[in-house]
């Protein structure tokens, strides 16, 4: 079994047509057909069945495709890592982040890093706390910003970067809107615009309200900080948002008020797979972040 056979197999599976696959591969149609036939003979199974003018994967063909694609993914990563070892300044960093950090934190640190290392590329993935941890563990991404930072975890490790304060946000016509500082329990009678269950900020807000002595009445739920901010500004309730989610100016803005009691904060950290060495370019970016946040 040769890599060329597997490459041809993937291309035919994608195109569902030998002619189209051969054109994209820039080889003769007969050569593609011969390689697929030899592969089927070696495996002792049919990988494709004729469906009109197209080829369709058999059930075992679908199973084989999944495995072969994983092989090529690992191979591509191996080639990429070798190139990065030769020159980390030309590598790629795969990094994850939650939405709230994509507004200012991530663009700022990436822009600063690229001033020093302009040849480095970034592959970005946005997600929830659980999905980002899962992607780090599975190897889909090298590093991820997460909040809250997991102090102890079986499969990831990392560094706490900062602790950020959450602010109350209220409509501009709210009775408390002109105040510079309030106690959180002063909002106990208002409906809250809350994050959905998938987001870690929801539990941080709920814990803060409980510490203030009340359970918030949830009026609306949103998926992202921009949604929460917009719904509050539209007068649909009040909420709590991290400071970095309130830096961007939009046409519809809520009032921002510091909370004096209890202090509601979130931790932000950078995580990677435990007991696994980062690629040189990812380690270069991690070291930059440690210096950026004065941790190194």
């Amino acid at each position: 079994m040769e890599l060329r056979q597997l490459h041809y197999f993937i291309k035919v599976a994608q195109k569902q047509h030998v002619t189209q696959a051969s054109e994209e591969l820039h080889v003769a149609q007969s050569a593609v057909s011969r390689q697929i036939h030899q592969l089927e003979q070696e495996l002792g199974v049919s990988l494709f069945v004729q469906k009109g003018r197209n080829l369709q994967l058999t059930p075992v063909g679908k199973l084989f495709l999944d495995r072969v694609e994983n092989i090529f993914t690992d191979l591509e990563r191996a080639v990429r890592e070798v190139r990065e070892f030769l020159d980390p300044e030309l590598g790629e960093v795969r990094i994850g982040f939650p939405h709230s950090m994509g507004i200012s934190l991530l663009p700022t640190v990436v822009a600063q890093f690229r001033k020093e290392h302009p040849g480095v590329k970034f592959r970005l993935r946005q997600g929830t706390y659980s999905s980002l941890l899962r992607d780090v563990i599975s190897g889909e991404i090298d590093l991820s910003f997460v909040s809250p930072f997991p102090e102890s975890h079986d499969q990831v490790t990392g560094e706490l970067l900062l602790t950020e304060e959450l602010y109350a946000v209220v409509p501009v016509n709210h009775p408390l809107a002109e105040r510079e500082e309030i106690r959180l329990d002063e909002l106990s009678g208002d409906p809250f615009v809350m994050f959905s269950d998938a987001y870690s900020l929801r539990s941080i807000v709920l814990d803060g309200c409980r510490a203030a002595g009340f359970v918030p009445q949830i009026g609306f739920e949103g998926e992202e900080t921009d949604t929460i901010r917009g719904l509050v500004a539209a007068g649909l309730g009040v909420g709590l948002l991290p400071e970095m989610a309130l830096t961007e100016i939009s046409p519809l803005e809520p009032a921002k008020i510091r909370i004096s009691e209890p202090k509601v904060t979130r931790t932000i950290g950078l995580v990677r797979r435990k007991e696994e060495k980062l690629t040189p370019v990812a380690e270069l970016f991690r070291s930059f972040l440690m210096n950026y946040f004065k941790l190194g």
Side-chain angles (χ1 to χ4, degrees):
M1 191 177 299
E2 302 176 359
L3 281 176
R4 180 175 57 181
Q5 289 177 323
L6 300 179
H7 183 50
Y8 287 6
F9 164 69
I10 290 175
K11 189 60 65 178
V12 173
Q14 291 172 343
K15 295 298 182 180
Q16 298 185 344
H17 203 285
V18 172
T19 302
Q20 293 178 13
S22 65
E23 290 173 352
E24 191 158 319
L25 291 165
H26 303 292
V27 296
Q29 180 179 334
S30 59
V32 175
S33 297
R34 183 168 59 253
Q35 293 294 333
I36 296 298
H37 178 66
Q38 290 175 357
L39 181 60
E40 290 179 324
Q41 281 190 319
E42 186 171 345
L43 292 171
V45 296
S46 295
L47 298 172
F48 296 97
V49 292
Q50 195 75 37
K51 192 81 170 180
R53 300 180 63 182
N54 292 338
L55 291 176
Q56 189 175 74
L57 285 168
T58 62
V60 72
K62 292 179 181 178
L63 174 65
F64 189 62
L65 177 64
D66 288 339
R67 301 301 187 193
V68 171
E69 285 180 330
N70 288 335
I71 290 171
F72 272 84
T73 297
D74 289 341
L75 180 60
E76 288 171 2
R77 183 183 182 192
V79 171
R80 176 170 60 87
E81 289 177 352
V82 169
R83 289 174 177 166
E84 288 172 4
F85 271 102
L86 295 174
D87 188 356
E89 293 290 343
L90 298 177
E92 178 183 75
V93 182
R94 302 173 304 162
I95 187 161
F97 64 98
H99 173 266
S100 61
M101 294 175 208
I103 298 170
S104 62
L105 176 63
L106 183 68
T108 299
V109 295
V110 168
Q112 289 296 319
F113 178 80
R114 284 177 62 85
K115 287 180 181 179
E116 301 176 20
H117 309 282
V120 173
K121 299 180 289 295
F122 283 85
R123 187 185 304 180
L124 307 177
R125 177 170 296 189
Q126 181 179 311
T128 62
Y129 178 80
S130 58
S131 71
L132 291 171
L133 285 183
R134 184 175 62 246
D135 289 343
V136 169
I137 292 167
S138 68
E140 291 293 317
I141 52 180
D142 304 307
L143 299 161
S144 184
F145 292 103
V146 293
S147 178
F149 174 66
E151 295 288 349
S152 177
H153 196 284
D154 291 339
Q155 295 174 282
V156 302
T157 186
E159 293 81 23
L160 173 64
L161 300 178
L162 70 142
T163 299
E164 183 186 27
E165 191 174 347
L166 268 68
Y167 283 76
V169 286
V170 302
V172 292
N173 60 354
H174 191 280
L176 301 175
E178 299 299 321
R179 295 263 296 275
E180 291 186 3
E181 193 173 83
I182 61 171
R183 300 186 320 277
L184 184 53
D185 62 9
E186 293 182 74
L187 297 178
S188 60
D190 289 278
F192 271 67
V193 182
M194 192 73 70
F195 289 93
S196 66
D197 288 331
Y199 291 83
S200 58
L201 277 169
R202 180 188 179 96
S203 60
I204 293 173
V205 174
L206 289 174
D207 288 345
C209 291
R210 292 191 190 100
F214 71 97
V215 176
Q217 170 198 346
I218 300 175
F220 296 90
E221 292 187 349
E223 295 292 322
E224 297 181 339
T225 53
D226 289 346
T227 304
I228 304 296
R229 188 174 63 179
L231 291 175
V232 170
L236 299 182
V238 300
L240 269 64
L241 286 174
E243 186 172 15
M244 69 175 62
L246 297 168
T247 56
E248 187 180 12
I249 303 300
S250 65
L252 199 59
E253 286 289 332
K256 165 188 167 184
I257 314 170
R258 175 169 269 110
I259 299 171
S260 62
E261 184 184 346
K263 287 293 184 184
V264 184
T265 61
R266 68 166 178 171
T267 55
I268 295 174
L270 184 74
V271 297
R272 61 190 184 277
R273 289 178 294 286
K274 187 175 283 188
E275 299 177 357
E276 185 172 330
K277 188 177 180 180
L278 288 170
T279 62
V281 66
E283 178 58 36
L284 185 67
F285 184 59
R286 190 194 74 83
S287 297
F288 167 83
L289 290 174
M290 296 305 99
N291 183 63
Y292 184 88
F293 290 101
K294 306 302 181 186
L295 300 177

